[in-house]
Amino acid sequence: MYRGRIWLYFSNIFHQLLLVFVLLVMVAYLSSASPFFFTWNNFRNIFDHSSLYIILALGITFVIAAGGIDLSVGAVAALSGVCMAVAMHSGLSVGLSILSGICSGAFMGMAGGTVIFLFKINPFIVTLGFMSLSRGLALIVTGGIPIYGFPKSFTWWGSGHIGPFNPPMLLAAFLIVVAAVMLNFTRFGYYTLALGGNEEALRRSGVSIFLYKVLVYTLCGVTAAIGGLIVTARLNTAEPLAGWMLELDTIAAVVLGGTSMKGGRGTIVGTVIACFLLGILRNGLVILSIPSYYQQLLIGIIILAAVIFAEVRARKGLLGFNKK
Amino acid sequence: MKKKKQRVAVFLLLSIAVFAAACSPSPAPAPVEEGKNNLVSADAAQEQKGAKEAGPAYAMNPKAYAMEQALMDQLMPLPDLHKGERIGALIITLANPFWVAMKEGYERAGAEMGVEVVVMAAPTEGDTKSQLETLDAMVAKGYAAIIASPIEPFNLVPGVVRANKRGIKVINLGPPINKEALKDARGWLDGRITVNFEEQGALAAEYIVQKLGPAGGKVAIIQGIPGAGQSEGRTAGAKGVFENTKNVEIVSIQPGNWDRNTAYNLASNILQAHPDLKGIFCANDVMALGVVEALQAANKKNDVVVAGVDFIDEARESIQRGELDGTVAMSPFLLFPRSGATSRW
Amino acid sequence: MFGCAQKKDGSQKSPYLRLKKIKKSFGHIVALEGIDLDIYPAEVMALVGDNGAGKSTLIKIISGVLAPDSGEISLNGTSYRHLTPSKAVELGISTVYQDLALVDCRDTASNIFLGKEPLKAWFFVDKQKMIKESEALLKKLKVAIPSVTTPVEDLSGGQRQGVAVARSIMQQGRMLIFDEPTAAMGVNEANRILKLIRNLGDEGFAVVVISHNLHHVFSIADRICVMRNGRLMVDCRTENTNLEQIVGFITGPPQLTKTHTEKELMPGCGEDAGNVQRQDMVIF
Ligand SMILES: Nc1ncnc2c1ncn2[C@@H]1O[C@H](COP(=O)(O)OP(=O)(O)OP(=O)(O)O)[C@@H](O)[C@H]1O
Ligand SMILES: [Mg+2]
């Protein structure tokens, strides 16, 4: 039975509403447990830390929505940070250096997308290869030793101030809006979702799969590179090992947010909420001084619970909001 | 046979000496104590400032040089070295600046002695299995000797046993290989120059305590990967010192996974919960440098003492700039006397 | 070998699309063994044959989804070795596939406009326009669906076919191919789609329909082609044949294989054909 457009809309965002609910419960609990949690300074911290995860997760949202996966983002972030550092230390201007770093990220994404398309290989394996490749390049270029010491105009991107905010937060906010508009209101977003939903159908409609697949992975490379910019600028150091395991954290956030691993369904809002959720969780664990071994355990349990819930609900129509 | 052993030992010494030269430029440690990990701090750098401005920046530390000379004298006469001797060195990972410097040290020593030295490493700091596989591959290649620095006490044990069977000398340098486990597996080490991680942690913690003065205050520890040998050892050492000091309270022990950005995030989060924090000990310099960035971003650098371990180049420069407060060098001066002992095999 | 059936008024029309010696095999399975076929504008051509005869394979070659192993496709005076889906869409070939090729998780409007999304302000998809136009189109086709914003996976089989048909209409091709468009439809819905197909033929489109329902075929087709085991068995005008005859061609002599020559087949066909005139019916 058809229950109307409002109902449909509600059932679509049910998962996100649930996340918001969990988030609010967490905030309420942490606020009561520690007087330091519910302060502007602490929230500024959470926003600051989450901005990196959000930016990377935005790109991954597109890739996963398109039915793919990208395991190389952490390594690509490190590589583009190294590129920026090398460019700056070789005398290039800050602007051009940043551009060169972003281009290197875009290039890695583009190359990955091309390989995935041309040889029809599972993106899991291809991006795993690109992860190793990018790390390897970053290690070769640096010789394993971090490159440090950059101009103020570069480190501003990580630790500058714009009113009460800092550049990473504003960059993240800007990119959230751009990504949401792209995914929901442009042909690129439509084709991204169609790619994940039924690639063959899209191909038969006369759309170039090659173009859009490569674009999706390139976009992910660009967001990874922007992540690299933030890490490098914030730490004033380009490390070949920066962003270690970052891909797993961000993929977890994207899936937690409600983007389907099977492709065809993607939500920027969900991704952002999930990033905040994980950010608050990490912050809360430290604020409450939970011992480190339990932290790993807790984060694991929470991610598993959320993903299992999302899957079961999607499959069985748990709570009756969705059929499939 | 005896000659061969001796040559290996001397090679080892030289490699460490060269490593020291690479790592200890002029404004290096003032308070040198033999047989101990070596603390490098801002205060020491300050004292040496005059010297730094005068001399070339990367000159050999005179004290270290003197010690090395003394040591070499003890070992005289050096055995004849056949050119073309092949020695393998297995280190932890080339993705860590500390070990990169170590590799350079090995190679320079090899070149100096006319010994072919091949340095291999695991891809990452946590990849225990690949390190073992690398050791196996090295055993198969039939080096005269292998110098191994394991990721954790147990991961290389089977490889060492295989090397023993093939008559390849194995020397354990740096992080220790667990003796009992090795004995149970019917293996043995031909030499052993290990670092005391607890001592490193304790040394850094003592420094922080000393800087805090009698008033003490709240301190935090940022570990590496929970469970890793260095991480647990250094944490335990620091924890012991902090706990046994009056007025000093450990408010947080967090896993930084050897990652700079994670350490950055942790430090800023800890500061939220404990705005009156006075000191942070990090299990390595990379994380300590991340913490320094976080403190600077929060305008708290002057309120919090930060100490790391490893004495990587970047840490040295940070100390010179007056940002990082102190770090513990895996002291070459510690390694010398004990490696002298290894020549008695 | 090559033959075609002309309209009974005898006016010589040039084909919209011409296939020459199209061959296609999947590994060891030979799906098409050299197909020659002309498709004319303003004509509804029905393609019939048993399961696995190669009908879908043939139309996938026409719509560019598959590339033939050999042969040639001529269109507007140009010959192509093979087409791609985008080339075919560009050349005005729209297809309703047997598997419908719908993006299940997307809504009806997005599916209908897939690949042809209208834009506003340069690069934003004009969703409002899509919703309005697809609602209007579905209404015109009398396809009843709850809302064009529900995901297609929530629709019934017949509704999904309706959406696929609507999409092919929306693509505004000059040639429309329907691969079993009414298979899952109820009687009323099927009749509406058949009427629509007939109208499209009358409006001047080149239409190809695949169907297993011979009653449907006879009610709408101008021309019927029978395929069997990857070969075109017969190509005749509807008014020159009858249902039994076509059934005979579809089922054929039981042991028919590709080793049978034309001559062997011809007499049988001739007998079956009875009063059918040679120039109106070509038997391969
Ligand atoms: N992708 C493919 N891979 C392998 N074999 C295929 C493929 N597509 C079709 N075939 C084979 O080609 C032959 C023709 O298939 P096709 O789908 O064209 O038949 P059809 O006439 O459309 O049958 P139906 O009436 O059942 O739809 C069959 O034997 C089928 O098994
Ligand atoms: Mg078919």
Side-chain angles (χ1 to χ4, degrees), chain C residues 26 29 31 49-58 98 179-180 212:
Chain C
F26 299 101
I29 299 169
D50 261 342
N51 294 133
K55 309 179 296 290
S56 297
T57 306
L58 185 66
Q98 192 167 10
D179 194 346
E180 304 193 23
H212 287 295

Side-chain angles (χ1 to χ4, degrees), chain A residues 36 39 41-42 45 48-49 52 139 143-146 148 234-237 239 241 244 283 286-287 289-290 292-293 295, chain B residues 94-95 97 100 124 223 226 232 251 254-255 259-261 264-266 268-270 272-275 286 293 313-314 317:
Chain A
F36 302 105
T39 60
N41 264 338
N42 193 42
N45 256 342
D48 181 28
H49 302 166
L52 172 67
L139 281 165
I145 297 172
Y148 52 96
R234 172 196 278 172
L235 302 174
N236 196 11
T237 307
E239 271 183 309
L241 286 193
W244 191 252
N283 177 275
V286 175
I287 296 253
S289 294
I290 308 276
S292 57
Y293 306 138
Q295 290 190 13
Chain B
L94 288 174
V100 174
T124 67
Q223 304 175 288
E232 297 295 332
V251 291
Q254 297 293 331
D259 180 62
R260 199 182 298 229
N261 193 49
Y264 178 103
N265 290 351
L266 284 175
S268 41
N269 283 343
I270 294 171
Q272 288 307 319
H274 309 285
V286 168
E293 290 295 332
D313 273 7
E314 199 183 342
E317 290 187 19

